[in-house]
């Protein structure tokens, strides 16, 4: 079988993480993604460990794309983009609201010559509203969406930022799913459509189900209960850490047996999941000293074999050595001709019926400009003139 998005052409006008990662997921699933960059290149070409114009961050979210550089403020550069869009199935952009329209590429303008186009606009706060024109990066959305407040410092209760671009990546996953839904709708109706997605909406939607469940019932308000994650803490052994959660009674009893405290199943404080939640401090006071005497590899193996949900904390430097990650081939080493081996995760979704292909590479800045222009019907002389004018690179 072919990859599921084989034959779909995507014009990726987005930059940094949310849009590029969304388009990267489509590339992983077979789409032909053309990444359009400015003369300076995507900001992620200089963030993190860097070799030439490639960074680890850029590679992981832009692999498998073809790269072209256009100056959209020049008429010839804009004309090339128009030709790309005319033959595309999907356009992804995360300009500030109104910016692309001022360049002549609003949804209404491009739908006039490509009505089948699925046009995804990602914004920080939305296309309109009091914050719509604010510049936005991931930490700003973590703050406004409630993520920072939902992950406070355990000691002080102060809100904290997560040390990962979580809201960018949540937006990317939401975006790629929405694009596929719109492509499915187009298969039925023959008509493309515009999708509007804000990072704020994606983050709140992701966070709400358990982190904000005390704020759901507005009329018949039940008593406030502890938030789901409030009592979740890691367990410390003498040589490492692990995570464990036992919401079901059989899991709790199995944990007690493994840790040498089977009598806890008869303690009225721990008889149900709700009682264990309310008395989690007392439970930890009993079990923490026992766990601290254990070896993390041994206790995790015993707990896992007994049916307890458990997993060892992997340090980032050791992640590639985890036996399950090795078994799953989660990480792949790809050889770049001018860089050497580069390690990154493979596409998370596996389609067993699709024949495996060589690992895709991320492109250098403007690497595929000439090839793409030729595909658009430009002659060698016309391509040379575009380079000379600075409209392309």
């Amino acid at each position: 079988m072919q990859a599921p998005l084989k034959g779909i052409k995507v014009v990726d006008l987005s930059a940094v993480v949310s849009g590029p990662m969304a388009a990267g997921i489509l590339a992983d699933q077979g789409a032909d993604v053309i990444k359009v960059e400015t003369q300076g290149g995507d900001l992620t070409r200089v963030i993190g460990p860097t070799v030439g114009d490639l960074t680890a961050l850029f590679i992981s979210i832009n692999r498998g794309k073809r790269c072209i550089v256009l100056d959209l403020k020049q008429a010839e550069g804009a004309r090339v983009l128009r030709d790309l869009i005319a033959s595309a199935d999907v356009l992804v952009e995360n300009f500030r609201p109104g910016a692309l329209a001022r360049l002549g590429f609003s949804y209404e303008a491009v739908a006039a010559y490509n009505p089948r186009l699925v046009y995804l606009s990602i914004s920080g706060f939305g296309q309109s509203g009091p914050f719509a024109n604010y510049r936005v990066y991931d930490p700003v959305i973590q703050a406004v969406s409630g993520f920072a407040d939902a992950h406070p410092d355990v000691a002080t209760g102060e809100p904290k930022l997560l040390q990962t671009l979580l809201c960018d990546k949540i937006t990317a996953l939401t975006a790629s799913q929405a694009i596929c839904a719109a492509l499915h709708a187009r298969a039925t109706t023959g008509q493309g459509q515009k999708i509007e997605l804000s990072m704020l909406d994606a983050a709140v939607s992701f966070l709400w189900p358990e982190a904000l469940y005390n704020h759901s019932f507005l009329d018949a308000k039940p008593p406030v209960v502890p938030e789901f994650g409030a009592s979740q803490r890691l367990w410390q052994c003498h040589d490492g850490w692990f995570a464990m959660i036992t919401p079901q009674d059989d899991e709790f009893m199995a944990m007690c047996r493994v840790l040498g405290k089977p009598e806890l199943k008869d303690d009225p404080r721990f008889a149900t999941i709700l009682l264990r939640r309310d008395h989690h401090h007392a439970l930890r006071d009993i079990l923490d000293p026992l766990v601290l005497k254990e070896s993390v590899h041994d206790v995790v193996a015993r707990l896992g074999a007994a049916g307890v949900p458990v997993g060892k904390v992997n340090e980032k430097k050791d992640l590639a050595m985890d036996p399950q990650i090795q078994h799953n081939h989660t990480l792949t080493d790809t050889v770049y001709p001018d860089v050497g081996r580069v390690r990154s995760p493979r596409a998370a979704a596996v389609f067993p019926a699709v024949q495996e292909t060589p690992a895709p590479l991320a492109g250098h800045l403007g690497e595929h400009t000439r090839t793409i222009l030729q595909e658009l019907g430009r002659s060698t002389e016309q391509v040379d003139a575009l380079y000379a004018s600075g409209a392309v690179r």
Side-chain angles (χ1 to χ4, degrees):
M1 289 181 63
Q2 291 185 328
L5 294 180
K6 182 75 172 179
I8 295 295
K9 180 178 177 180
V10 179
V11 175
D12 179 13
L13 294 176
S14 63
V16 194
V17 175
S18 61
M21 184 174 178
I25 293 170
L26 304 182
D28 282 339
Q29 296 175 356
D32 175 19
V33 180
I34 297 174
K35 182 175 180 65
V36 180
E37 296 178 79
T38 62
Q39 295 285 350
D42 195 309
L43 181 62
T44 57
R45 286 191 182 273
V46 297
I47 297 177
T50 308
V51 178
D53 66 350
L54 295 176
T55 67
L57 173 58
F58 182 88
I59 286 172
S60 66
I61 59 177
N62 289 287
R63 63 188 177 205
K65 301 179 185 180
R66 298 192 289 162
C67 297
I68 183 173
V69 171
L70 298 177
D71 182 353
L72 299 182
K73 295 180 180 179
Q74 291 197 39
E76 286 302 318
R79 190 169 292 115
V80 171
L81 179 59
R82 188 188 188 283
D83 290 349
L84 282 173
I85 294 172
S87 60
D89 299 285
V90 177
L91 182 148
V92 178
E93 64 96 4
N94 62 354
F95 286 72
R96 292 170 72 185
L100 203 53
R102 290 191 290 273
L103 291 171
F105 295 100
S106 67
Y107 172 70
E108 292 73 21
V110 301
Y113 55 84
N114 186 355
R116 288 176 53 80
L117 184 71
V118 172
Y119 184 115
L120 174 74
S121 287
I122 296 175
S123 60
F125 287 116
Q127 296 296 318
S128 61
F131 306 149
N133 289 317
Y134 283 17
R135 288 182 178 269
V136 169
Y137 292 102
D138 187 278
V140 174
I141 300 301
Q142 285 194 41
V144 179
S145 67
F147 260 103
D149 188 56
H151 295 83
D153 184 281
V154 175
T156 66
E158 295 177 355
K160 289 186 65 176
L161 293 174
L162 298 174
Q163 297 183 41
T164 180
L165 300 177
L166 185 67
C167 295
D168 270 319
K169 290 181 276 190
I170 288 168
T171 302
L173 293 171
T174 306
S176 61
Q177 186 279 325
I179 288 169
C180 289
L183 288 172
H184 176 72
R186 189 186 72 173
T188 302
T189 66
Q191 186 70 29
Q193 60 183 294
K194 184 180 184 182
I195 306 168
E196 294 182 355
L197 173 63
S198 77
M199 291 176 65
L200 178 61
D201 290 347
V204 170
S205 178
F206 186 92
L207 183 66
W208 190 277
E210 87 296 354
L212 287 126
Y213 56 27
N214 279 311
H215 304 275
S216 292
F217 293 104
L218 301 182
D219 296 323
K221 293 186 178 181
V224 172
V225 301
E227 291 176 358
F228 181 81
S231 63
Q232 300 304 314
R233 292 189 293 115
L234 294 172
W235 298 78
Q236 185 178 13
C237 298
H238 68 79
D239 60 349
W241 298 77
F242 67 93
M244 175 173 64
I245 180 172
T246 57
Q248 300 193 63
D249 292 343
D250 63 329
E251 296 164 345
F252 175 73
M253 289 186 286
M255 176 195 69
C256 293
R257 288 194 303 270
V258 171
L259 297 181
K261 282 289 183 179
E263 68 273 15
L264 291 181
K265 68 180 179 60
D266 300 318
D267 190 317
R269 295 174 297 174
F270 313 131
T272 68
I273 180 177
L274 298 181
L275 288 169
R276 293 193 288 274
R277 178 199 68 193
D278 295 341
H279 296 97
H280 69 274
H281 289 299
L283 184 61
R284 293 296 297 237
D285 287 343
I286 295 169
L287 296 181
D288 278 346
L290 300 176
V291 173
L292 191 57
K293 299 176 183 178
E294 296 276 359
S295 165
V296 65
H297 291 281
D298 178 63
V299 75
V300 165
R302 285 158 43 216
L303 288 164
V308 179
V310 65
K312 175 183 174 290
V313 172
N314 285 321
E315 294 185 22
K316 288 180 282 189
K317 63 181 178 62
D318 299 326
L319 190 66
M321 301 306 296
D322 182 275
Q324 190 65 51
I325 286 176
Q326 290 187 334
H327 175 82
N328 290 356
H329 302 289
T330 303
L331 300 173
T332 61
D333 292 352
T334 304
V335 177
Y336 280 70
D338 51 349
V339 174
R341 292 182 303 152
V342 175
R343 177 168 292 170
S344 60
R346 61 161 169 74
V350 176
F351 299 86
V354 175
Q355 183 178 1
E356 287 191 30
T357 57
L361 305 181
H364 292 291
L365 184 62
E367 178 179 348
H368 307 97
T369 297
R370 184 173 292 274
T371 300
I372 293 169
L373 291 172
Q374 291 170 342
E375 290 174 357
L376 293 175
R378 302 306 198 269
S379 67
T380 300
E381 293 75 14
Q382 289 172 321
V383 172
D384 291 340
L386 285 169
Y387 274 99
S389 71
V392 305
R393 173 178 167 183

